[in-house]
């Protein structure tokens, strides 16, 4: 950026991006640039970044490379994988994930540990090579050399209970480490090496004047775990097993462990959990952590088998969960915990609820047979039926409808429909009486899938496609309550009087005109009408036609009284 360019084109908006430590502070202040730092990206930011990254990739992509499919697949993985989206909060790391996803043809590593390892390999090894950047700052290091230096800083932070460090503190750690790395030491001073790590690794960032931290806590924990395992300090880490901030370090350590070390780690966690009282929630946390670590076992010898049996017994002792905290902890184990759950118990409804809550929290195809066991005993047990129906979205739509919902008494239970896959299952759920349908479904889609149902109550929400309510003709003659919420395209309520059994109407953030009020006044059995935050068809809401409706309960909210002509 030069002064003549900005003077010649004064109306041009210029954004200059640079690694903070590669230039002097306020380096463009003389040109009246404002210095800003990036906030972590939100979910919508990540979605926009992925779209922009793939647009750029198409400019130099091969004709045979289907970047459209890769973009859709990655967007879906971000929605489904919390660990992946958490890692992508900075543009650099999001770009690394995009590149890794493209390089591996859509197959990202399956575990958090493998994902972080692959990301570090790309950040510390391949990224500069692909960009043909050689020895920036006069320093050239391979991946392992980067890792050895960074993990010394990381472990010093964790041992001291710190999250940030100064330049002097980092230099002290490098001075201790570099004598053991002569190839790196001969290339420059510790100051040169630190500048290289700050500018090129992508893992360190400046928070303020002489105030640094790891760009993502997970990378710090990954490096700490690596240092503890390589330095034979697993027992030291286990001494902190009861501390929340150490538990990710211990979990990531499992990926670095050998067979012998993994057994030591898992048994140490089980011992730490067993030392706590049975009613302490921390016991469940440590047993779950041990089980998660044990999932890294790739070889089953006698010692490992004994350890895994101990873990299984420990998890069995803490199910079903007693509260929401234990529920979320146990759900981290996914399908592993399902065979350990007790079956239905007619004598203990509270316990059944806790088991079903955990099955629903795990969800997915593996959980369907376990949900089915409770569906088969749900007759007359409204709470069980309600819990199963409410969590349909956590399961494959078709399988859950056929195997679970078809066996549940849905007479008094609201069934929530939010996807086309769920809507398509309604023909096999003819016994449903109360439907909550949320999302953009066309009138044709609704009519074709609701045809033949005898619905008592229907709630339609957040639909921008519907323009009228004529599709309700397919709901049979039993429809008693209709609620329309936030459906801005609905222009007419004229069909409502044709519903013979209708007696309750609820309208929220819907257009209501004088013609619509007149139509509602002709509903033969209308007993209750609730209107909230209507979009006005005229200057005032004229309710006088409703005077003809005897015994009507009427409520209007979200509208100034001066805009209402009351029917009383």
């Amino acid at each position: 950026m030069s002064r003549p360019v900005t003077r010649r084109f004064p109306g041009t908006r210029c954004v200059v991006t640079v690694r903070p430590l590669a230039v002097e502070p306020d380096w463009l202040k003389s040109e009246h640039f404002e210095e800003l730092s990036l906030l972590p990206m939100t979910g919508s930011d990540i979605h926009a970044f992925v779209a922009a990254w793939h647009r750029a990739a198409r400019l130099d992509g091969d004709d045979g490379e289907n970047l459209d499919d890769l973009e859709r697949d990655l967007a879906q993985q971000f929605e489904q994988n919390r660990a992946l989206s958490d890692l992508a909060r900075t543009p650099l790391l999001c770009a690394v994930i995009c590149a890794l996803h493209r390089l591996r043809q859509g197959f990202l590593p399956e575990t958090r540990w493998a994902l972080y390892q692959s990301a570090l390999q790309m950040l510390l090894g391949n990224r500069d090579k692909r960009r043909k950047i050689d020895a920036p700052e006069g320093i050239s290091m391979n991946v392992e050399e980067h890792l050895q230096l960074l993990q010394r800083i990381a472990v010093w932070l964790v041992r001291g209970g710190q999250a940030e460090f100064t330049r002097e503190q980092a230099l002290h750690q490098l001075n201790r480490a570099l004598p053991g790395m002569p190839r790196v030491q001969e290339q420059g001073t510790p100051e040169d090496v630190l500048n290289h790590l700050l500018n090129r690794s992508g893992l360190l960032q400046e928070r303020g004047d002489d105030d640094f931290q790891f760009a993502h806590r997970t990378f710090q924990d990954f490096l700490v775990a690596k240092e503890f395992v390589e330095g034979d300090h697993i027992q030291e880490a286990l001494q902190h097993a009861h501390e929340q901030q150490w538990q990710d370090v211990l979990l990531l350590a499992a990926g670095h462990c050998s067979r012998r070390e993994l057994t030591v780690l898992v048994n140490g966690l089980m011992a730490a959990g067993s030392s706590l009282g049975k009613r302490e929630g921390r016991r469940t946390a440590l047993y779950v952590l041990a089980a998660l670590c044990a999932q890294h076992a790739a070889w089953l010898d006698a010692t490992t088998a004994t350890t895994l049996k101990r873990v299984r017994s420990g998890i069995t002792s803490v199910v079903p969960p007693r509260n929401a905290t234990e529920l979320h902890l146990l759900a981290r184990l996914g399908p592993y915990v399902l065979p350990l759950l007790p079956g239905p118990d007619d004598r203990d409804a509270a316990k059944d609820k806790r088991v079903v809550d955990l099955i629903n929290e795990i969800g997915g195809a593996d959980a369907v047979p376990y949900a089915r066991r409770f569906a088969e005993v749900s007759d007359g047990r409204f709470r069980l039926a309600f819990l199963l129906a409410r969590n349909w979205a956590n399961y494959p739509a078709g399988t859950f409808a056929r195997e679970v919902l078809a066996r549940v008494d849905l007479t008094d239970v609201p069934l929530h429909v939010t996807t086309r896959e769920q809507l398509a299952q309604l023909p096999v759920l003819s016994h449903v009486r109360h439907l909550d349908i949320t999302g953009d479904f066309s009138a044709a889609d609704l009519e074709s899938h609701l045809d033949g149902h005898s619905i008592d109550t229907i709630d339609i929400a957040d639909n921008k496609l519907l323009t009228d309510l004529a599709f309700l003709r397919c709901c049979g003659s039993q429809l008693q309550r209709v609620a329309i919420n936030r459906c801005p395209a609905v222009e007419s309520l004229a069909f409502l009087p044709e519903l013979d059994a209708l007696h309750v109407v609820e309208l929220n953030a819907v257009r209501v005109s004088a013609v619509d009020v007149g139509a509602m006044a002709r509903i033969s059995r209308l007993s209750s009408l609730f209107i909230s935050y209507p979009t006005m068809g005229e200057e005032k809401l004229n309710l006088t036609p409703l005077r003809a409706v005897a015994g009507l309960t009427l409520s209007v909210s979200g509208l100034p009284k001066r805009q209402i002509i009351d029917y009383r």
Side-chain angles (χ1 to χ4, degrees), residues 13-30:
R13 280 191 165 195
C14 300
V15 177
V16 182
T17 63
V18 66
R19 295 184 183 276
L21 301 173
V23 295
E24 293 297 321
D26 300 325
W27 68 296
L28 280 178
K29 191 172 184 178
S30 62

Side-chain angles (χ1 to χ4, degrees), residues 39-43 46 82 85-91 93-94 216:
L39 292 171
M41 294 199 296
T42 64
I46 293 172
R82 176 68 179 273
S85 59
D86 282 348
L87 193 60
R89 298 301 178 189
T90 68
L93 295 179
C94 194
H216 199 285

Side-chain angles (χ1 to χ4, degrees), residues 284-449:
T284 299
L286 289 170
Y287 282 176
V288 167
L289 185 59
L292 290 170
C293 290
Q295 291 176 2
H296 283 273
W299 178 265
L300 192 64
D301 56 19
T303 303
T304 306
T306 300
T307 299
L308 296 183
K309 185 177 180 180
R310 182 183 181 190
V311 171
R312 187 181 179 92
S313 176
I315 294 297
T316 303
S317 72
V318 293
V319 295
R322 294 169 300 171
N323 51 51
T325 299
E326 292 190 1
L327 170 69
H328 295 305
L329 283 170
L330 289 164
R332 293 181 66 191
L333 296 174
Y336 169 89
V337 79
L338 292 171
L340 309 181
L341 296 176
D345 185 348
D346 291 338
R347 299 164 299 176
D348 195 339
K351 185 173 92 171
D352 279 358
K353 177 193 177 297
R354 289 182 284 136
V355 175
V356 171
D357 281 342
L358 181 53
I359 294 171
N360 286 333
E361 187 74 11
I362 295 168
D366 290 317
V368 171
Y370 298 91
R372 174 177 170 169
R373 290 195 299 180
F374 287 86
E376 290 170 342
V377 298
S378 65
D379 284 353
R381 302 179 68 180
F382 171 82
R383 196 172 193 183
L384 274 186
F386 178 82
L387 288 173
L388 292 167
R390 185 180 63 180
N391 289 278
W392 189 7
N394 294 350
Y395 299 87
T399 306
F400 193 73
R402 293 187 301 272
E403 298 297 321
V404 178
L405 295 178
R407 292 171 166 79
V408 172
D409 181 2
L410 297 175
T411 304
D412 300 312
V413 176
L415 185 65
H416 298 271
V417 175
T418 58
T419 68
R420 295 187 181 281
E421 291 78 11
Q422 290 176 336
L423 187 68
Q425 304 307 316
L426 292 183
V428 303
L429 301 174
S430 57
H431 57 307
V432 67
R433 295 291 177 265
H434 181 167
L435 277 173
D436 288 350
I437 302 178
T438 301
D440 292 328
F441 300 102
S442 69
D445 283 339
L446 292 171
E447 192 163 358
S448 64
H449 292 107

